[in-house]
Amino acid sequence: MGGEHKAYLSLGSNLGNRYQTLQKAIFELASRVGTVSRVSTMYENPAEDFEGGDFLNACILIHTNLKPLELLESLLSIERHFGRERKKGQGYQSRTLDIDLLLYDNEIIETEKLMVPHPKMLERAFVLKPLADIAPQYYHPLANQDIRNLLQQIKKRSELKKIPIKLLKDRASLFAQLQFLAIEGNIGAGKTTLSKMIAHDFNAKLVLERFADNPFLPKFYKDQTRYAFPLEMSFLADRYQQFTDDTTQFDLFKKFMVSDYDIFKSLIFAKITLQAEEFDLYRKVFNFMYNEVKKPDIYVYLYQDTNRLLDNIKKRGRPYEQSIPAEYLEKINRGYLDFIKGHPNQNSIILDLNDLDFVSHQSDYIHILDQLQDKVLSTYF
């Protein structure tokens, strides 16, 4: 969402995880208000005019179609979303999030609800310094000077501390910090669909498991004992070759890779289907291959209970899947959860999809992206 109007905003926080609050606020602004085109450096400074923790502050330029009062209402709504309630007569207080509209095009607005340019911006180094990062030559319509010269007239600049962590413009820029995202799940959990949606929306290279033509799969569902070992060895060989090829061939025009499987699934399924002696032999071959493959930065497991999985399998209508027993799906779920529990150093996240339909409902898809966003933020920042 772009826009014909340019608005400069000041963002500040001195409660909770201040960086993550500012970063999430920028993503929310990009989603609800317009296109964020410039983001300043972050600065830390002591609270002014009241006792409180140090603030992190930054400024952004956003292009919006919203008129000034509409924009103000959106900013207040986003503040409330982050737990901020503005109340008259309380004076300055600590806050999870503060968003001020500093400048709107070259307009001068003087109403009971809104004053633009912001009347206190000329007194605040923690506003003018980050604003000068992104708009040094912007001409203040009342002071008749540019931001760079106005900053030089402030005396408290020495209290500002530059923060090396970079704020990103949008969620796509955050996901681009990844190299490899693996999305796993039980049969019918939606891993391929979600991988395709993320790859499309965030310009990622899509890595899909290719197994539809495996000649042992239909036979396995009819006679598991007889066909388990050749099926699992066939899957392992195919996955290893495909996975190695796909994850080592970088696409310069894509931001990261997203896959609908991780090769460790081979061991999870093999442990369920193979006899003890067969599994011991299988594991020796697997360990050799697993040591050679690329590991995901974040491992996502899509959890759905057995009844929901059976409904999904029935809806997609693959004939050879219709006879899959519930007990088999339950074993797979337990196998994945045991794997995640047994690998605490792996960067994993479990997404419960039992009450979500991310294909039919955009809000459910956004909810998943929010959880993934938080995981990436906690991983890299």
Side-chain angles (χ1 to χ4, degrees):
M1 176 171 52
E4 60 182 8
H5 301 288
K6 292 182 179 180
Y8 288 93
L9 309 179
S10 172
L11 288 77
S13 174
N14 78 328
L15 289 177
N17 190 320
R18 301 168 299 164
Y19 164 74
Q20 289 198 20
T21 296
L22 294 186
Q23 184 61 86
K24 291 178 185 180
I26 291 174
F27 294 156
E28 196 73 16
L29 288 161
S31 174
R32 294 168 55 176
V33 173
T35 300
V36 178
S37 63
R38 294 181 188 174
V39 181
S40 76
T41 299
M42 265 191 308
Y43 295 89
E44 188 174 46
N45 62 279
E48 292 188 10
D49 302 321
F50 73 99
E51 293 294 327
D54 290 351
F55 276 83
L56 287 185
N57 288 287
C59 287
I60 67 170
L61 168 60
I62 194 163
H63 298 259
T64 183
N65 287 318
L66 298 178
K67 297 187 182 304
L69 287 177
E70 295 173 332
L71 176 57
L72 176 63
E73 289 303 315
S74 292
L75 302 185
L76 295 175
S77 174
I78 292 172
E79 285 186 345
R80 290 192 293 270
H81 176 74
F82 284 88
R84 168 84 186 280
E85 287 290 344
R86 291 180 181 246
K87 296 181 180 179
K88 291 183 178 180
Q90 289 189 341
Y92 293 112
Q93 294 180 322
S94 294
R95 63 214 73 165
T96 52
L97 178 64
D98 188 21
I99 309 177
D100 287 326
L101 174 55
L102 304 177
L103 302 161
Y104 184 93
D105 292 335
N106 291 311
E107 290 193 23
I108 298 173
I109 303 170
E110 297 182 357
T111 69
E112 184 178 346
K113 289 186 176 181
L114 179 64
M115 299 281 286
V116 175
H118 193 285
K120 291 187 177 295
M121 63 179 288
L122 301 183
E123 306 167 13
R124 297 171 171 173
F126 63 82
V127 171
L128 290 181
K129 176 57 178 170
L131 185 59
D133 288 346
I134 59 174
Q137 296 180 320
Y138 186 96
Y139 204 73
H140 191 287
L142 290 177
N144 296 320
Q145 295 183 63
D146 64 30
I147 300 301
R148 181 176 47 196
N149 287 325
L150 291 170
L151 173 63
Q152 292 174 350
Q153 299 172 26
I154 299 245
K155 297 180 180 179
K156 293 184 179 180
R157 294 172 59 189
S158 59
E159 297 183 5
L160 295 177
K161 177 183 176 183
K162 188 174 182 179
I163 302 299
I165 303 174
K166 184 180 179 181
L167 289 167
L168 305 172
K169 292 190 293 186
D170 51 34
R171 187 177 267 156
S173 300
L174 176 68
F175 288 172
Q177 306 300 307
L178 295 168
Q179 291 189 40
F180 176 35
L181 173 68
I183 299 178
E184 267 286 15
N186 209 325
I187 301 167
K191 52 189 177 292
T192 301
T193 302
L194 182 59
S195 297
K196 288 180 177 179
M197 292 171 70
I198 290 175
H200 176 269
D201 291 345
F202 297 99
N203 190 31
K205 177 183 176 180
L206 182 62
V207 177
L208 299 178
E209 184 178 15
R210 302 186 293 274
F211 63 86
D213 296 330
N214 191 305
F216 295 106
L217 191 57
K219 297 177 182 179
F220 167 76
Y221 286 133
K222 294 180 180 180
D223 188 348
Q224 293 190 18
T225 302
R226 180 178 179 184
Y227 290 103
F229 190 73
L231 174 71
E232 297 301 345
M233 289 302 295
S234 176
F235 271 148
L236 179 59
D238 287 346
R239 284 180 185 133
Y240 176 76
Q241 185 63 55
Q242 295 169 12
F243 196 82
T244 301
D245 291 345
D246 288 339
T247 58
T248 56
Q249 296 176 4
F250 293 99
D251 188 333
L252 296 177
F253 298 99
K254 300 297 183 181
K255 301 295 186 181
F256 61 101
M257 289 186 293
V258 58
S259 172
D260 72 343
Y261 74 106
D262 177 68
I263 198 170
F264 202 94
K265 76 180 300 177
S266 298
L267 197 65
I268 294 172
F269 277 78
K271 188 173 184 179
I272 295 169
T273 59
L274 298 181
Q275 301 296 318
E277 296 82 1
E278 293 175 332
F279 181 70
D280 288 342
L281 175 59
Y282 180 93
R283 183 166 54 185
K284 292 178 182 178
V285 179
F286 172 83
N287 287 340
F288 173 77
M289 293 182 173
Y290 187 66
N291 288 334
E292 303 297 320
V293 300
K294 187 176 183 65
K295 310 303 188 295
D297 299 297
I298 296 179
Y299 182 98
V300 179
Y301 182 64
L302 307 182
Y303 175 79
Q304 296 194 41
D305 63 31
T306 304
N307 290 332
R308 180 81 180 265
L309 292 170
L310 288 171
D311 287 342
N312 295 344
I313 290 169
K314 184 177 180 180
K315 288 177 183 177
R316 73 182 185 183
R318 294 175 182 171
Y320 58 84
E321 291 182 343
Q322 300 309 307
S323 59
I324 297 177
E327 295 78 8
Y328 181 63
L329 297 175
E330 290 170 2
K331 289 180 180 178
I332 294 172
N333 260 343
R334 286 198 298 271
Y336 273 109
L337 295 175
D338 287 345
F339 161 65
I340 293 171
K341 184 178 179 181
H343 291 74
N345 294 327
Q346 177 173 262
N347 198 17
S348 302
I349 178 173
I350 300 173
L351 300 181
D352 189 340
L353 303 187
N354 278 316
D355 297 321
L356 302 178
D357 182 351
F358 63 85
V359 177
S360 301
H361 302 294
Q362 179 72 7
S363 60
D364 289 347
Y365 176 54
I366 296 299
H367 177 70
I368 290 172
L369 294 180
D370 286 342
Q371 293 185 70
L372 183 57
Q373 165 191 294
D374 290 349
K375 186 66 175 179
V376 179
L377 281 172
S378 65
T379 298
Y380 292 96
F381 306 99

